[in-house]
């Protein structure tokens, strides 16, 4: 009954909105609620807002998104400045207006579009703004012309912010149009155009070149060519706007994720570690060699706010330092197979990735042929839990890194242990490459890690921390197996009681059904 009432109410509201659409504009539009000068749009009033405002800048947001909150704040500031203009700012909560978002083909959480003259099908995409000033700058630039960028460079060159200067022989050349197209899409960057020969001769360059300045220092120069596109110029500017290596923080996340460079090298590292400075220097050295190709970012594993990023890449704090490469198009990740993080090792890894020779980090390697025929069983991601959490077998697993000397040093010991236990059918000795397989369980301590899976229905893992000798390993194994036997008795009793209770409940239901018949 309640569903019917809700459907009836929804139909009534839709009819009311449709009727309101036919009312003259002179009537007060009570459904177009405003907050701080920003329209709160829904499916029912979106079309009316399009008809009413010549320029409608709409932010499609999700309320729980940090990026969405920041942009909403920027919208409020810009709305105050745009009062009385022909531009109206509005927002749509996509978590509530899913049908509208689907109709408009809105997929990203930080989507901003400018609708012109009621045209619903051909909006202009607005770059994600850093502030209200970004919005105002973007609107001004897109309605202006290249001539508006001719400026006095005496103050721009000395600015602490990046200033991009286009030096052109002819202001009507197609190079200037490409330059200006890039200017519109980068509202958070300062731009200028000049024909001053003194400036260009100062740096020993020729005409038709784009110069990047910061604090009166020339950072980089880009020679415009016939094949230069707006996209190529934007990549150049945005890459050199950032340092060779950028720390991932709440402030830099948007800049990193919206970078036109889709190949990212992520270094997970503890910034308070004694070797951080040395590792960062090596990472920075490699970054210089791959500007415009790979974006280099480091993530502090000791920062709690980075937990979600670490969880996404399945990186644990104790595994740091390590380097991953990821392509933001397909999100396939690659793991640097080395404990040595020097410049040459990092550069070799990056080049092998660009050449298509690096092996991706898989959720699971293929199950190797004959994996269970040797004394030490070879596990992979898809067999780890199946073998490890076997209630009838005790399984001792070595989690190793094939490139780690410490891991390789334990291989003979693990073979010796397997040989010592080969007559015990209730015990399995195995190993798994932790660098090539995702481990979907809580792990503690650095690799190589020795973990015992007791023969229980409960998924228990016990980490071995004693001496790495066969005698000590067997003693630990026997102790845990005795403990597991006692726990298993209780488990079996609990399971018996549960099964009996379930059978009694089923019999009760069956008798009730018979009585009803």
């Amino acid at each position: 009954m309640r569903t019917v009432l809700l459907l009836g109410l929804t139909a009534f509201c839709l009819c009311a909105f449709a009727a309101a659409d036919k009312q003259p504009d002179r009537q007060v539009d009570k459904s177009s609620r405003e907050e701080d000068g920003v329209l709160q749009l829904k499916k029912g009033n979106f079309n009316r807002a399009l008809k009413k405002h010549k320029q409608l800048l709409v932010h499609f947001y999700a309320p729980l998104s940090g990026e969405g909150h920041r942009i909403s704040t920027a919208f409020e500031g810009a709305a105050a400045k745009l009062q009385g203009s022909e531009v109206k700012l509005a927002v749509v909560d996509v978590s509530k207006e899913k049908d509208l978002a689907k109709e408009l083909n809105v997929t990203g959480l930080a989507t901003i579009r400018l609708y012109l003259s009621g045209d619903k099908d051909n909006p202009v995409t607005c770059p994600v703004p850093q502030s209200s000033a970004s919005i105002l700058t973007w609107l001004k630039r897109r309605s202006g012309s290249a001539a508006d960028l001719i400026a006095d460079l005496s103050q721009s060159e000395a600015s602490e912010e990046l200033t991009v200067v286009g030096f052109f022989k002819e202001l009507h050349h197609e190079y200037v149009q490409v330059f200006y197209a890039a200017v519109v899409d980068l509202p958070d960057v300062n731009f200028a155009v000049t024909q001053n020969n003194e400036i260009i001769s100062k740096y020993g360059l020729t005409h038709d070149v784009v110069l990047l300045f910061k604090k009166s220092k020339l950072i980089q120069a880009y020679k415009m060519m016939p094949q230069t596109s707006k996209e190529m110029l934007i990549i150049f500017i945005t890459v050199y706007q950032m340092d060779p290596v950028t720390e991932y923080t709440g402030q830099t996340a948007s800049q990193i994720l919206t970078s036109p460079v889709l190949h990212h090298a992520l270094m997970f590292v503890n910034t308070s570690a004694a070797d951080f400075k040395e590792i960062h220097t090596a990472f920075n050295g490699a970054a210089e060699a791959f500007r415009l190709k790979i974006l280099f970012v480091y993530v502090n594993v000791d920062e709690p706010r980075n937990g979600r990023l670490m969880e996404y890449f399945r990186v644990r704090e104790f595994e740091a330092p390590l380097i991953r490469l990821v392509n933001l198009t397909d999100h396939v990740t690659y793991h640097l197979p080395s404990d040595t993080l020097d410049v040459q090792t990092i550069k070799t890894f990056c080049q092998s990735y660009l050449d298509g020779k690096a092996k991706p980090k898989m959720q699971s390697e293929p199950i190797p042929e004959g994996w269970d025929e040797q004394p030490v069983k070879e596990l992979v991601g898809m067999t780890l839990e199946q073998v490890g959490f076997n209630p009838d077998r005790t399984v001792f697993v070595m989690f190793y890194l094939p490139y780690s000397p410490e891991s390789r040093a334990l291989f003979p010991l693990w073979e010796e242990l397997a040989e010592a236990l080969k007559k015990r059918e209730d015990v399995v000795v195995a190993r798994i490459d932790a660098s090539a397989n995702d481990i979907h369980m809580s792990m503690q301590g650095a690799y190589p890690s020795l973990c015992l899976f007791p023969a229980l229905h409960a998924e228990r893992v016990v980490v071995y921390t004693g001496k790495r000798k066969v005698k000590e390993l067997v003693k630990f194994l026997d102790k845990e197996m005795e403990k597991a036997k006692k726990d298993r008795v209780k488990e079996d009793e609990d399971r018996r009681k549960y099964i009996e209770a379930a059978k009694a409940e089923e019999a009760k239901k069956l008798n009730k059904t018979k009585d009803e018949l």
Side-chain angles (χ1 to χ4, degrees):
M1 184 64 181
R2 185 184 177 191
T3 303
V4 173
L5 287 172
L6 286 174
L7 288 172
L9 181 60
T10 302
F12 173 79
C13 291
L14 289 174
C15 291
F17 286 139
D21 269 339
K22 297 176 181 178
Q23 297 300 316
D25 288 341
R26 56 187 173 81
Q27 292 193 5
V28 177
D29 186 6
K30 294 182 180 179
S31 62
S32 296
R33 184 169 58 90
E34 287 192 23
E35 289 184 10
D36 298 311
V38 179
L39 285 176
Q40 311 295 307
L41 297 184
K42 299 180 179 181
K43 185 177 178 65
N45 61 8
F46 190 84
N47 287 337
R48 281 197 305 283
L50 277 181
K51 294 175 184 176
K52 184 175 180 180
H53 302 286
K54 188 174 181 181
Q55 296 189 47
L56 185 67
L57 186 64
V58 185
H59 172 212
F60 298 87
Y61 76 101
L64 298 181
S65 163
E67 180 81 339
H69 177 72
R70 182 181 63 76
I71 297 173
S72 294
T73 302
F75 255 55
E76 292 172 9
K81 297 285 187 182
L82 292 168
Q83 283 187 2
S85 72
E86 63 179 18
V87 181
K88 188 65 180 179
L89 272 59
V91 295
V92 173
D93 183 346
V94 295
S95 68
K96 295 179 179 178
E97 301 299 320
K98 295 179 181 178
D99 289 343
L100 179 59
K102 184 177 181 180
E103 179 187 338
L104 299 173
N105 196 28
V106 175
T107 54
L109 291 180
T111 301
I112 305 172
R113 294 176 177 174
L114 178 64
Y115 292 89
L116 302 170
S117 303
D119 187 348
K120 191 177 182 178
D121 301 319
N122 299 290
V124 180
T125 301
C126 173
V128 176
Q130 298 298 315
S131 63
S132 58
S134 305
I135 298 172
L136 299 174
T137 300
W138 181 74
L139 290 168
K140 180 181 178 181
R141 286 179 178 175
R142 68 168 306 279
S143 62
S145 65
D148 296 330
L149 290 174
I150 301 174
D152 180 7
L153 300 179
S154 58
Q155 295 181 346
S156 298
E157 282 187 273
S159 172
E160 292 189 7
E161 298 296 325
L162 182 76
T163 298
V164 182
V165 181
F167 179 78
F168 301 105
K169 187 175 183 180
E170 299 291 340
L171 292 182
H172 298 291
H173 197 280
E174 62 184 73
Y175 289 154
V176 181
Q177 302 307 315
V178 172
F179 180 79
Y180 188 66
V183 171
V184 174
D185 280 1
L186 295 172
D188 295 299
V189 178
N190 298 321
F191 287 87
V193 170
T194 184
Q195 292 179 292
N196 190 330
N197 287 314
E198 292 182 8
I199 293 176
I200 202 70
S201 60
K202 177 181 177 181
Y203 299 102
L205 300 169
T206 58
H207 300 89
D208 301 326
V209 66
V210 176
L211 310 176
L212 272 59
F213 291 99
K214 200 170 186 179
K215 294 181 181 179
S216 299
K217 180 182 178 182
L218 177 63
I219 298 175
Q220 199 65 233
Y222 185 91
K223 177 65 177 174
M224 299 291 284
M225 304 292 287
Q227 65 270 26
T228 300
S229 65
K230 176 189 74 172
E231 290 73 22
M232 293 167 65
L233 189 55
I234 286 176
I235 290 176
F236 168 74
I237 295 169
T238 53
V239 165
Y240 283 97
Q241 183 184 12
M242 303 169 71
D243 293 329
V245 174
T246 303
E247 180 180 5
Y248 181 89
T249 66
Q251 287 70 42
T252 63
S254 175
Q255 192 177 23
I256 292 168
L257 295 174
T258 58
S259 170
V261 179
L262 298 178
H263 304 297
H264 290 192
L266 302 175
M267 179 173 69
F268 294 88
V269 63
N270 191 329
T271 57
S272 60
D275 59 350
F276 169 69
K277 186 174 181 181
E278 179 184 353
I279 294 172
H280 184 275
T281 300
F283 196 57
N284 192 81
E288 292 284 7
F290 291 94
R291 298 293 286 268
L292 301 175
K293 296 179 181 178
I294 300 176
L295 189 68
F296 281 66
V297 179
Y298 75 89
V299 181
N300 182 11
V301 299
D302 199 33
E303 170 54 65
R305 286 172 291 188
N306 291 336
R308 290 184 67 183
L309 184 69
M310 292 169 62
E311 182 180 343
Y312 177 82
F313 285 100
R314 294 192 175 94
V315 173
R316 301 167 180 86
E317 184 178 347
F318 68 80
E319 294 178 297
L322 62 83
I323 294 175
R324 295 272 174 83
L325 269 163
V326 59
N327 183 326
L328 295 191
T329 301
D330 54 25
H331 297 280
V332 175
T333 60
Y334 298 76
H335 180 87
L336 187 146
S338 175
D339 276 341
T340 305
L341 301 183
D342 56 28
V343 176
Q344 191 54 51
T345 300
I346 300 171
K347 287 172 68 174
T348 300
F349 173 52
C350 291
Q351 191 58 54
S352 69
Y353 165 79
L354 292 176
D355 292 342
K357 297 178 180 178
K359 293 182 178 180
K361 177 178 172 60
M362 307 296 289
Q363 186 171 352
S364 175
E365 291 181 293
I367 299 175
E369 187 176 348
W371 67 273
D372 59 347
E373 296 175 1
Q374 299 300 319
V376 177
K377 315 307 177 189
E378 293 288 345
L379 302 182
V380 294
M382 66 179 73
T383 57
L384 173 61
E385 294 187 21
Q386 177 187 350
V387 174
F389 295 125
N390 185 333
D392 300 319
R393 296 274 184 92
T394 297
V395 185
F396 216 164
V397 182
M398 176 203 293
F399 294 82
Y400 71 93
L401 303 174
Y403 50 80
S404 163
E406 290 82 1
S407 290
R408 292 197 299 272
L410 282 186
F411 283 8
L413 171 66
W414 219 238
E415 296 285 349
E416 189 180 344
L417 176 66
E419 188 65 28
L421 299 171
K422 68 179 181 180
K423 294 183 179 180
R424 296 175 60 167
E425 295 184 358
D426 58 345
V427 178
V428 174
V429 178
R431 67 187 183 188
I432 183 170
D433 181 352
S435 72
N437 298 276
D438 286 336
I439 311 300
H440 300 279
M441 62 182 67
S442 177
M443 298 288 296
Q444 296 178 348
Y447 296 125
S449 182
L450 310 180
C451 299
L452 187 77
F453 295 72
L456 293 168
H457 290 288
E459 297 183 349
R460 182 191 298 171
V461 181
V462 184
V463 180
Y464 177 75
T465 58
K467 293 181 180 179
R468 292 178 173 179
K469 302 287 184 183
V470 171
K471 184 178 179 181
E472 299 297 329
L473 289 166
V474 173
K475 188 185 297 184
F476 166 76
L477 172 72
D478 290 338
K479 179 182 175 182
E480 290 299 326
M481 288 183 72
E482 284 299 318
K483 182 180 177 183
K485 282 180 183 178
K486 296 176 182 177
D487 293 338
R488 182 63 180 268
V489 171
K490 187 176 185 305
E491 264 192 350
D492 289 342
E493 179 63 18
D494 290 341
R495 285 170 64 84
R496 183 186 65 77
K497 290 179 180 179
Y498 175 80
I499 292 172
E500 288 179 355
K503 286 181 178 179
E505 182 65 25
E506 186 65 29
K508 185 178 177 181
K509 289 181 180 179
L510 185 60
N511 289 332
K512 184 179 179 182
T513 302
K514 287 180 179 179
D515 291 342
E516 290 175 350
L517 292 173

